[in-house]
Amino acid sequence: MNRSVSLEGAALDAFPSQVAILDADGTIVYTNQAWEEFGAENGMQTDSLGMNYLNVCDSDEEIREAGDGIRAVISGERESFEHEYPCHSPNERRWFMMRAVPFDRGDTAYVLVMHMNITERKLAEEAVADRNERLKTVASVLSHDIRNPLTVAMGELDLLATENDSTHVSSLRHALDRIGSIVEDSLVFLRRNEIDLGPVDLGAAVRTAWAAVDTEDATLAIDDAPTVRADSAVVSHLLENLISNAVQHGGDDVTVRVGRIDEADGTNGFFVADDGPGIPESERDKVFDYGYTTAGSGLGLAIVDRTAKMHDWSVSVTESESDGNSAVEERAGDSAKGRNDGETGESGGSESRRDDRSGGARFEVTDVEMIE
């Protein structure tokens, strides 16, 4: 096999990876140009022809595994063999992957051994691992180092409130609640895709989320809310952020409507809509980006997008349309916050009426597994 006079040899010389061909005994019968250049640049033997590559592997404990893998390919025990290994030089860190595959030329069996530089991939993996470790540290700080003193501060504030009716107490409570919300949202954002799926009554989850948000004089209208397969804790963050977004941008007296999506084309899920000013069409693709905000921390809708993706759901925003459907509506100041999830809206000042206002934002969560 003379690469200088064969088409095959010319093709392999053009290949950037180091390539050698071994016979059935492990003897090197061919090397390409990249193999020879690598040897010359790294103080290795440049003329490898006739050398037994398996003996070279056996002589070094760190690459003995490679020799065993090549033997398995030669004997037919394996169809191919791959082995990743470090090969650092004095000036740089490098990693390679050796791949061995068999082939025949006429009646003679050979093994092609190729060493590919995977340094770029390895460095990227190290960077990701380092980033994940730092995120893990941040999550730990949020979960313990900030949560714990925040809990203490809230307890002390409760004691202070019994002794002092100053308006500063209310402002301080609002600030601490805001810190707590940011911490919880950040923890969800940092959370891995580890969710505990089970049946979630969306109507009950919406009422719980509504009670957890400062909804001012807003009104909640629940249409035919489905039961979905989801992680109840994660979905609560999604709903709280959508409700908070509606109240924050729709005004104190906004009406927030939640209901089922069940289209003839198979699209299913749920929506959270409001009758506020809506979101300009030019901005709708940006609202789920981390940091995008016209008010607040810029985390809210990014959390919505993150929690949806954790469930393999899709989330989008469009304009609300008044459909005239009758729905149970609950004012923020009525008994909705204190009512059990399973109760209907027929008591505590709730009323059934039509909402004819339109033009607000409608967030649609689709690709949802519906249980009923």
Side-chain angles (χ1 to χ4, degrees):
M1 293 186 179
N2 188 339
R3 63 175 171 80
S4 63
V5 295
S6 69
L7 178 62
E8 297 93 334
L12 290 174
D13 274 347
F15 207 64
S17 298
Q18 296 81 43
V19 175
I21 295 177
L22 316 182
D23 64 16
D25 296 323
T27 300
I28 299 175
V29 298
Y30 169 85
T31 58
N32 73 342
Q33 187 172 332
W35 183 287
E36 296 170 3
E37 290 176 351
F38 185 84
E41 292 168 0
N42 292 272
M44 302 175 183
Q45 184 174 333
T46 56
D47 185 9
S48 303
L49 296 181
M51 180 185 300
N52 191 288
Y53 194 65
L54 298 179
N55 292 341
V56 175
C57 294
D58 292 342
S59 66
D60 189 332
E61 184 67 33
E62 293 185 0
I63 59 174
R64 187 167 296 170
E65 179 184 347
D68 293 340
I70 294 172
R71 284 189 177 91
V73 171
I74 292 173
S75 66
E77 295 177 24
R78 301 185 60 152
E79 293 183 356
S80 64
F81 175 76
E82 292 181 355
H83 175 65
E84 295 184 5
Y85 62 96
C87 183
H88 306 318
S89 73
N91 301 321
E92 64 176 328
R93 300 166 69 216
R94 304 177 304 193
W95 288 264
F96 289 83
M97 180 176 74
M98 186 204 78
R99 179 173 173 81
V101 293
F103 72 97
D104 295 331
R105 185 177 188 183
D107 296 330
T108 307
Y110 296 95
V111 174
L112 185 143
V113 175
M114 179 167 56
H115 295 263
M116 294 170 285
N117 192 319
I118 58 171
T119 299
E120 186 174 339
R121 193 200 83 198
K122 281 292 187 179
L123 291 176
E125 289 174 353
E126 282 192 351
V128 170
D130 179 66
R131 181 186 177 195
N132 287 342
E133 189 62 31
R134 285 186 281 116
L135 289 176
K136 189 176 179 181
T137 300
V138 171
S140 178
V141 170
L142 289 172
S143 184
H144 302 289
D145 296 353
I146 294 181
R147 243 183 189 171
N148 292 344
L150 183 62
T151 301
V152 172
M154 291 295 289
E156 294 294 326
L157 183 62
D158 289 339
L159 292 176
L160 180 63
T162 63
E163 303 170 358
N164 193 322
D165 59 357
S166 170
T167 56
H168 295 302
V169 172
S170 177
S171 297
L172 183 56
R173 186 182 301 281
H174 178 76
L176 292 177
D177 285 340
R178 182 65 183 143
I179 293 172
S181 296
I182 292 174
V183 168
E184 294 303 320
D185 280 346
S186 298
L187 287 172
V188 171
F189 202 78
L190 293 170
R191 185 172 175 174
R192 296 183 179 182
N193 292 339
E194 299 170 355
I195 54 177
D196 184 14
L197 298 177
V200 175
D201 180 340
L202 193 68
V206 168
R207 292 188 182 96
T208 301
W210 184 263
V213 174
D214 184 2
T215 50
E216 302 292 342
D217 294 321
T219 300
L220 172 65
I222 301 178
D223 291 330
D224 180 20
T227 296
V228 302
R229 183 170 171 79
D231 184 307
S232 58
V234 175
V235 166
S236 69
H237 286 282
L238 180 147
L239 294 171
E240 286 173 20
N241 278 287
L242 286 178
I243 292 169
S244 178
N245 180 77
V247 174
Q248 189 173 39
H249 297 282
D252 293 350
D253 62 345
V254 69
T255 294
V256 181
R257 185 182 298 277
V258 182
R260 177 192 299 262
I261 297 174
D262 191 5
E263 304 292 347
D265 63 2
T267 302
N268 53 43
F270 59 91
F271 68 85
V272 177
D274 64 65
D275 59 358
I279 299 173
E281 189 172 357
S282 61
E283 300 292 305
R284 292 174 189 170
D285 289 338
K286 307 174 186 176
V287 296
F288 297 108
D289 294 343
Y290 170 74
Y292 177 88
T293 183
T294 57
S297 66
L299 268 177
L301 293 180
I303 294 294
V304 170
D305 184 58
R306 171 74 175 130
T307 54
K309 287 178 178 176
M310 290 172 70
H311 289 84
D312 292 327
W313 297 344
S314 299
V315 61
S316 60
V317 60
T318 184
E319 183 178 0
S320 290
E321 296 180 0
S322 178
D323 55 15
N325 288 338
S326 178
V328 174
E329 298 198 345
E330 301 160 354
R331 290 288 181 183
D334 69 17
S335 64
K337 290 188 177 183
R339 187 169 61 241
N340 292 330
D341 292 344
E343 295 178 15
T344 66
E346 299 174 354
S347 62
S350 298
E351 58 179 349
S352 180
R353 64 181 176 86
R354 293 178 183 270
D355 181 7
D356 296 323
R357 292 179 289 179
S358 63
R362 175 182 167 107
F363 290 86
E364 296 187 346
V365 182
T366 54
D367 300 324
V368 179
E369 182 180 348
M370 315 283 269
I371 297 178
E372 62 178 50

